[in-house]
Amino acid sequence: MFDGGGSQGAGGFDMSDLLAQAQQMQNQLMEAQANLESQEIEGSAGGGLVTALVSGTGELLSLTIHPQAVDPDDTETLADLIVAAVRDASENAKEVAARAMGPLAGGLGGGLPGLGGPTDDDAAEGGRPGIGFTNPGGTTGLPGQNPG
């Protein structure tokens, strides 16, 4: 019978240690997220003609357009440069976030089955299936998953 609070649970692990580790990871994750929100990451296009500034969480903060990029007869190119600069800044922010959060998110997969599953890239390279449903009749998944 489970007594709800013994020093060691089934299998010989200390539940209070596991909960303390989870709390510590949550605190580190919240600190990393707050740090990301305060960071400013830049992206550019057209050799610096258009520059976008985003937060570490990807929110667009500002957009700078060099006067040489403005041609009243060709607003389509300017629009393309803006989109490219914002996309570049967002990708840079994702990379910063992955570096900041990667070690913390990676800690979830160690001892808890199903967490920290593969990315799409892992699956494309033959990695193990992640959490969720599989396509009925598809080639991924394990027997008994999502019988349809």
Side-chain angles (χ1 to χ4, degrees):
M1 178 175 172
F2 181 68
D3 65 6
S7 65
Q8 291 194 344
F13 70 88
D14 189 344
M15 186 63 116
S16 62
D17 282 349
L18 181 63
L19 292 174
Q21 287 177 347
Q23 181 65 44
Q24 182 180 11
M25 284 179 62
Q26 181 180 14
N27 291 340
Q28 290 172 341
L29 187 61
M30 289 172 57
E31 184 178 321
Q33 286 174 329
N35 184 30
L36 281 173
E37 288 175 7
S38 66
Q39 290 189 36
E40 295 181 349
I41 295 110
E42 189 175 282
S44 65
L49 290 175
V50 177
T51 303
L53 189 66
V54 299
S55 70
T57 57
E59 178 185 356
L60 181 62
L61 301 173
S62 71
L63 188 64
T64 304
I65 302 171
H66 193 279
Q68 289 176 322
V70 181
D71 179 357
D73 296 327
D74 186 13
T75 57
E76 205 172 296
T77 298
L78 178 58
D80 290 343
L81 289 173
I82 292 169
V83 169
V86 171
R87 185 175 292 138
D88 184 47
S90 295
E91 288 299 319
N92 292 342
K94 285 179 188 176
E95 290 174 15
V96 168
R99 285 193 302 268
M101 305 296 262
L104 298 174
L108 294 175
L112 301 174
L115 293 180
T119 63
D120 290 339
D121 294 336
D122 293 335
E125 295 173 6
R128 65 180 161 66
I131 299 173
F133 294 105
T134 59
N135 182 9
T139 59
T140 62
L142 299 174
Q145 284 187 321
N146 191 23

PDB file of all heavy atoms in Angstrom, residues 113-141:
ATOM      1  N   PRO A 113       9.724   8.796 -18.882  1.00  0.00           N
ATOM      2  CA  PRO A 113       9.376   8.280 -20.202  1.00  0.00           C
ATOM      3  C   PRO A 113       8.382   9.185 -20.909  1.00  0.00           C
ATOM      4  O   PRO A 113       7.445   9.680 -20.295  1.00  0.00           O
ATOM      5  CB  PRO A 113       8.739   6.918 -19.911  1.00  0.00           C
ATOM      6  CG  PRO A 113       9.156   6.571 -18.524  1.00  0.00           C
ATOM      7  CD  PRO A 113       9.425   7.859 -17.817  1.00  0.00           C
ATOM      8  N   GLY A 114       8.619   9.417 -22.183  1.00  0.00           N
ATOM      9  CA  GLY A 114       7.685  10.186 -22.991  1.00  0.00           C
ATOM     10  C   GLY A 114       7.996  11.661 -23.050  1.00  0.00           C
ATOM     11  O   GLY A 114       7.503  12.347 -23.907  1.00  0.00           O
ATOM     12  N   LEU A 115       8.788  12.192 -22.123  1.00  0.00           N
ATOM     13  CA  LEU A 115       9.133  13.602 -22.159  1.00  0.00           C
ATOM     14  C   LEU A 115      10.470  13.765 -22.843  1.00  0.00           C
ATOM     15  O   LEU A 115      11.323  12.910 -22.785  1.00  0.00           O
ATOM     16  CB  LEU A 115       9.205  14.179 -20.745  1.00  0.00           C
ATOM     17  CG  LEU A 115       7.885  14.240 -19.996  1.00  0.00           C
ATOM     18  CD1 LEU A 115       8.091  14.816 -18.613  1.00  0.00           C
ATOM     19  CD2 LEU A 115       6.861  15.062 -20.745  1.00  0.00           C
ATOM     20  N   GLY A 116      10.658  14.919 -23.451  1.00  0.00           N
ATOM     21  CA  GLY A 116      11.915  15.168 -24.136  1.00  0.00           C
ATOM     22  C   GLY A 116      12.046  14.316 -25.383  1.00  0.00           C
ATOM     23  O   GLY A 116      13.120  13.899 -25.740  1.00  0.00           O
ATOM     24  N   GLY A 117      10.915  14.072 -26.042  1.00  0.00           N
ATOM     25  CA  GLY A 117      10.907  13.245 -27.248  1.00  0.00           C
ATOM     26  C   GLY A 117      11.659  13.912 -28.379  1.00  0.00           C
ATOM     27  O   GLY A 117      12.141  15.029 -28.252  1.00  0.00           O
ATOM     28  N   PRO A 118      11.775  13.241 -29.496  1.00  0.00           N
ATOM     29  CA  PRO A 118      12.578  13.748 -30.601  1.00  0.00           C
ATOM     30  C   PRO A 118      11.928  14.940 -31.280  1.00  0.00           C
ATOM     31  O   PRO A 118      10.718  15.122 -31.203  1.00  0.00           O
ATOM     32  CB  PRO A 118      12.642  12.556 -31.552  1.00  0.00           C
ATOM     33  CG  PRO A 118      11.386  11.813 -31.287  1.00  0.00           C
ATOM     34  CD  PRO A 118      11.137  11.975 -29.807  1.00  0.00           C
ATOM     35  N   THR A 119      12.721  15.700 -31.967  1.00  0.00           N
ATOM     36  CA  THR A 119      12.208  16.776 -32.790  1.00  0.00           C
ATOM     37  C   THR A 119      11.815  16.183 -34.133  1.00  0.00           C
ATOM     38  O   THR A 119      12.044  15.013 -34.397  1.00  0.00           O
ATOM     39  CB  THR A 119      13.299  17.843 -33.009  1.00  0.00           C
ATOM     40  OG1 THR A 119      14.376  17.237 -33.715  1.00  0.00           O
ATOM     41  CG2 THR A 119      13.786  18.408 -31.689  1.00  0.00           C
ATOM     42  N   ASP A 120      11.258  17.027 -34.985  1.00  0.00           N
ATOM     43  CA  ASP A 120      10.914  16.557 -36.324  1.00  0.00           C
ATOM     44  C   ASP A 120      12.162  16.068 -37.045  1.00  0.00           C
ATOM     45  O   ASP A 120      12.115  15.123 -37.814  1.00  0.00           O
ATOM     46  CB  ASP A 120      10.255  17.675 -37.139  1.00  0.00           C
ATOM     47  CG  ASP A 120       8.868  18.016 -36.618  1.00  0.00           C
ATOM     48  OD1 ASP A 120       8.273  17.160 -35.935  1.00  0.00           O
ATOM     49  OD2 ASP A 120       8.390  19.136 -36.898  1.00  0.00           O
ATOM     50  N   ASP A 121      13.293  16.749 -36.806  1.00  0.00           N
ATOM     51  CA  ASP A 121      14.540  16.335 -37.441  1.00  0.00           C
ATOM     52  C   ASP A 121      14.937  14.932 -36.993  1.00  0.00           C
ATOM     53  O   ASP A 121      15.403  14.131 -37.780  1.00  0.00           O
ATOM     54  CB  ASP A 121      15.677  17.306 -37.101  1.00  0.00           C
ATOM     55  CG  ASP A 121      15.449  18.686 -37.702  1.00  0.00           C
ATOM     56  OD1 ASP A 121      14.713  18.773 -38.709  1.00  0.00           O
ATOM     57  OD2 ASP A 121      16.008  19.660 -37.164  1.00  0.00           O
ATOM     58  N   ASP A 122      14.758  14.644 -35.687  1.00  0.00           N
ATOM     59  CA  ASP A 122      15.101  13.317 -35.179  1.00  0.00           C
ATOM     60  C   ASP A 122      14.247  12.246 -35.858  1.00  0.00           C
ATOM     61  O   ASP A 122      14.732  11.204 -36.247  1.00  0.00           O
ATOM     62  CB  ASP A 122      14.888  13.229 -33.663  1.00  0.00           C
ATOM     63  CG  ASP A 122      15.855  14.103 -32.876  1.00  0.00           C
ATOM     64  OD1 ASP A 122      16.945  14.399 -33.398  1.00  0.00           O
ATOM     65  OD2 ASP A 122      15.500  14.480 -31.748  1.00  0.00           O
ATOM     66  N   ALA A 123      12.952  12.538 -35.988  1.00  0.00           N
ATOM     67  CA  ALA A 123      12.050  11.560 -36.592  1.00  0.00           C
ATOM     68  C   ALA A 123      12.437  11.321 -38.049  1.00  0.00           C
ATOM     69  O   ALA A 123      12.379  10.197 -38.537  1.00  0.00           O
ATOM     70  CB  ALA A 123      10.601  12.032 -36.495  1.00  0.00           C
ATOM     71  N   ALA A 124      12.850  12.389 -38.732  1.00  0.00           N
ATOM     72  CA  ALA A 124      13.234  12.242 -40.132  1.00  0.00           C
ATOM     73  C   ALA A 124      14.496  11.402 -40.275  1.00  0.00           C
ATOM     74  O   ALA A 124      14.720  10.789 -41.305  1.00  0.00           O
ATOM     75  CB  ALA A 124      13.460  13.619 -40.757  1.00  0.00           C
ATOM     76  N   GLU A 125      15.297  11.363 -39.217  1.00  0.00           N
ATOM     77  CA  GLU A 125      16.527  10.590 -39.259  1.00  0.00           C
ATOM     78  C   GLU A 125      16.351   9.211 -38.634  1.00  0.00           C
ATOM     79  O   GLU A 125      17.314   8.565 -38.261  1.00  0.00           O
ATOM     80  CB  GLU A 125      17.644  11.360 -38.532  1.00  0.00           C
ATOM     81  CG  GLU A 125      18.001  12.659 -39.224  1.00  0.00           C
ATOM     82  CD  GLU A 125      18.983  13.508 -38.418  1.00  0.00           C
ATOM     83  OE1 GLU A 125      19.460  13.014 -37.370  1.00  0.00           O
ATOM     84  OE2 GLU A 125      19.252  14.635 -38.822  1.00  0.00           O
ATOM     85  N   GLY A 126      15.109   8.796 -38.445  1.00  0.00           N
ATOM     86  CA  GLY A 126      14.862   7.459 -37.934  1.00  0.00           C
ATOM     87  C   GLY A 126      14.856   7.364 -36.418  1.00  0.00           C
ATOM     88  O   GLY A 126      14.980   6.295 -35.858  1.00  0.00           O
ATOM     89  N   GLY A 127      14.690   8.503 -35.736  1.00  0.00           N
ATOM     90  CA  GLY A 127      14.650   8.505 -34.275  1.00  0.00           C
ATOM     91  C   GLY A 127      13.398   7.820 -33.768  1.00  0.00           C
ATOM     92  O   GLY A 127      12.496   7.475 -34.522  1.00  0.00           O
ATOM     93  N   ARG A 128      13.330   7.658 -32.455  1.00  0.00           N
ATOM     94  CA  ARG A 128      12.155   7.001 -31.887  1.00  0.00           C
ATOM     95  C   ARG A 128      10.939   7.908 -32.002  1.00  0.00           C
ATOM     96  O   ARG A 128      11.071   9.116 -32.082  1.00  0.00           O
ATOM     97  CB  ARG A 128      12.422   6.612 -30.435  1.00  0.00           C
ATOM     98  CG  ARG A 128      12.627   7.770 -29.508  1.00  0.00           C
ATOM     99  CD  ARG A 128      12.883   7.224 -28.099  1.00  0.00           C
ATOM    100  NE  ARG A 128      13.493   8.073 -27.191  1.00  0.00           N
ATOM    101  CZ  ARG A 128      13.063   9.212 -26.642  1.00  0.00           C
ATOM    102  NH1 ARG A 128      12.097   9.630 -26.896  1.00  0.00           N
ATOM    103  NH2 ARG A 128      13.635   9.951 -25.797  1.00  0.00           N
ATOM    104  N   PRO A 129       9.737   7.347 -32.022  1.00  0.00           N
ATOM    105  CA  PRO A 129       8.549   8.173 -32.171  1.00  0.00           C
ATOM    106  C   PRO A 129       8.352   9.043 -30.936  1.00  0.00           C
ATOM    107  O   PRO A 129       8.733   8.667 -29.840  1.00  0.00           O
ATOM    108  CB  PRO A 129       7.410   7.153 -32.326  1.00  0.00           C
ATOM    109  CG  PRO A 129       7.951   5.878 -31.797  1.00  0.00           C
ATOM    110  CD  PRO A 129       9.432   5.924 -31.966  1.00  0.00           C
ATOM    111  N   GLY A 130       7.772  10.226 -31.140  1.00  0.00           N
ATOM    112  CA  GLY A 130       7.516  11.154 -30.047  1.00  0.00           C
ATOM    113  C   GLY A 130       6.159  10.909 -29.426  1.00  0.00           C
ATOM    114  O   GLY A 130       5.480   9.930 -29.697  1.00  0.00           O
ATOM    115  N   ILE A 131       5.755  11.842 -28.585  1.00  0.00           N
ATOM    116  CA  ILE A 131       4.463  11.765 -27.917  1.00  0.00           C
ATOM    117  C   ILE A 131       3.383  12.118 -28.928  1.00  0.00           C
ATOM    118  O   ILE A 131       3.564  12.978 -29.763  1.00  0.00           O
ATOM    119  CB  ILE A 131       4.419  12.756 -26.750  1.00  0.00           C
ATOM    120  CG1 ILE A 131       5.504  12.412 -25.746  1.00  0.00           C
ATOM    121  CG2 ILE A 131       3.062  12.764 -26.089  1.00  0.00           C
ATOM    122  CD1 ILE A 131       5.651  13.433 -24.650  1.00  0.00           C
ATOM    123  N   GLY A 132       2.232  11.508 -28.805  1.00  0.00           N
ATOM    124  CA  GLY A 132       1.109  11.892 -29.641  1.00  0.00           C
ATOM    125  C   GLY A 132       0.610  10.733 -30.477  1.00  0.00           C
ATOM    126  O   GLY A 132       1.039   9.607 -30.338  1.00  0.00           O
ATOM    127  N   PHE A 133      -0.318  11.070 -31.336  1.00  0.00           N
ATOM    128  CA  PHE A 133      -0.934  10.067 -32.169  1.00  0.00           C
ATOM    129  C   PHE A 133      -0.127   9.855 -33.434  1.00  0.00           C
ATOM    130  O   PHE A 133       0.550  10.747 -33.904  1.00  0.00           O
ATOM    131  CB  PHE A 133      -2.356  10.486 -32.544  1.00  0.00           C
ATOM    132  CG  PHE A 133      -3.272  10.539 -31.363  1.00  0.00           C
ATOM    133  CD1 PHE A 133      -3.666  11.744 -30.824  1.00  0.00           C
ATOM    134  CD2 PHE A 133      -3.708   9.374 -30.775  1.00  0.00           C
ATOM    135  CE1 PHE A 133      -4.502  11.790 -29.738  1.00  0.00           C
ATOM    136  CE2 PHE A 133      -4.543   9.402 -29.683  1.00  0.00           C
ATOM    137  CZ  PHE A 133      -4.945  10.614 -29.165  1.00  0.00           C
ATOM    138  N   THR A 134      -0.252   8.682 -33.949  1.00  0.00           N
ATOM    139  CA  THR A 134       0.399   8.388 -35.217  1.00  0.00           C
ATOM    140  C   THR A 134      -0.660   8.336 -36.291  1.00  0.00           C
ATOM    141  O   THR A 134      -1.848   8.212 -36.019  1.00  0.00           O
ATOM    142  CB  THR A 134       1.143   7.045 -35.159  1.00  0.00           C
ATOM    143  OG1 THR A 134       0.203   6.024 -34.858  1.00  0.00           O
ATOM    144  CG2 THR A 134       2.239   7.069 -34.130  1.00  0.00           C
ATOM    145  N   ASN A 135      -0.232   8.405 -37.505  1.00  0.00           N
ATOM    146  CA  ASN A 135      -1.131   8.335 -38.637  1.00  0.00           C
ATOM    147  C   ASN A 135      -1.561   6.884 -38.803  1.00  0.00           C
ATOM    148  O   ASN A 135      -0.727   6.014 -39.021  1.00  0.00           O
ATOM    149  CB  ASN A 135      -0.393   8.834 -39.879  1.00  0.00           C
ATOM    150  CG  ASN A 135      -1.258   8.835 -41.111  1.00  0.00           C
ATOM    151  OD1 ASN A 135      -2.459   8.629 -41.025  1.00  0.00           O
ATOM    152  ND2 ASN A 135      -0.634   9.077 -42.251  1.00  0.00           N
ATOM    153  N   PRO A 136      -2.873   6.603 -38.693  1.00  0.00           N
ATOM    154  CA  PRO A 136      -3.301   5.218 -38.883  1.00  0.00           C
ATOM    155  C   PRO A 136      -2.837   4.708 -40.243  1.00  0.00           C
ATOM    156  O   PRO A 136      -2.983   5.384 -41.248  1.00  0.00           O
ATOM    157  CB  PRO A 136      -4.829   5.292 -38.817  1.00  0.00           C
ATOM    158  CG  PRO A 136      -5.113   6.549 -38.072  1.00  0.00           C
ATOM    159  CD  PRO A 136      -3.985   7.485 -38.404  1.00  0.00           C
ATOM    160  N   GLY A 137      -2.223   3.556 -40.214  1.00  0.00           N
ATOM    161  CA  GLY A 137      -1.724   2.982 -41.451  1.00  0.00           C
ATOM    162  C   GLY A 137      -0.360   3.532 -41.839  1.00  0.00           C
ATOM    163  O   GLY A 137       0.218   3.140 -42.824  1.00  0.00           O
ATOM    164  N   GLY A 138       0.143   4.472 -41.033  1.00  0.00           N
ATOM    165  CA  GLY A 138       1.453   5.050 -41.312  1.00  0.00           C
ATOM    166  C   GLY A 138       2.558   4.108 -40.884  1.00  0.00           C
ATOM    167  O   GLY A 138       2.329   3.048 -40.298  1.00  0.00           O
ATOM    168  N   THR A 139       3.780   4.513 -41.132  1.00  0.00           N
ATOM    169  CA  THR A 139       4.907   3.644 -40.834  1.00  0.00           C
ATOM    170  C   THR A 139       5.542   3.957 -39.490  1.00  0.00           C
ATOM    171  O   THR A 139       6.464   3.283 -39.080  1.00  0.00           O
ATOM    172  CB  THR A 139       5.993   3.783 -41.921  1.00  0.00           C
ATOM    173  OG1 THR A 139       6.414   5.148 -41.975  1.00  0.00           O
ATOM    174  CG2 THR A 139       5.470   3.334 -43.261  1.00  0.00           C
ATOM    175  N   THR A 140       5.062   5.018 -38.788  1.00  0.00           N
ATOM    176  CA  THR A 140       5.646   5.366 -37.500  1.00  0.00           C
ATOM    177  C   THR A 140       4.759   4.865 -36.379  1.00  0.00           C
ATOM    178  O   THR A 140       3.621   4.470 -36.592  1.00  0.00           O
ATOM    179  CB  THR A 140       5.827   6.885 -37.352  1.00  0.00           C
ATOM    180  OG1 THR A 140       4.540   7.489 -37.417  1.00  0.00           O
ATOM    181  CG2 THR A 140       6.742   7.430 -38.409  1.00  0.00           C
ATOM    182  N   GLY A 141       5.286   4.892 -35.170  1.00  0.00           N
ATOM    183  CA  GLY A 141       4.503   4.499 -34.011  1.00  0.00           C
ATOM    184  C   GLY A 141       4.820   3.085 -33.584  1.00  0.00           C
ATOM    185  O   GLY A 141       5.616   2.369 -34.196  1.00  0.00           O
TER     186      GLY A 141
END
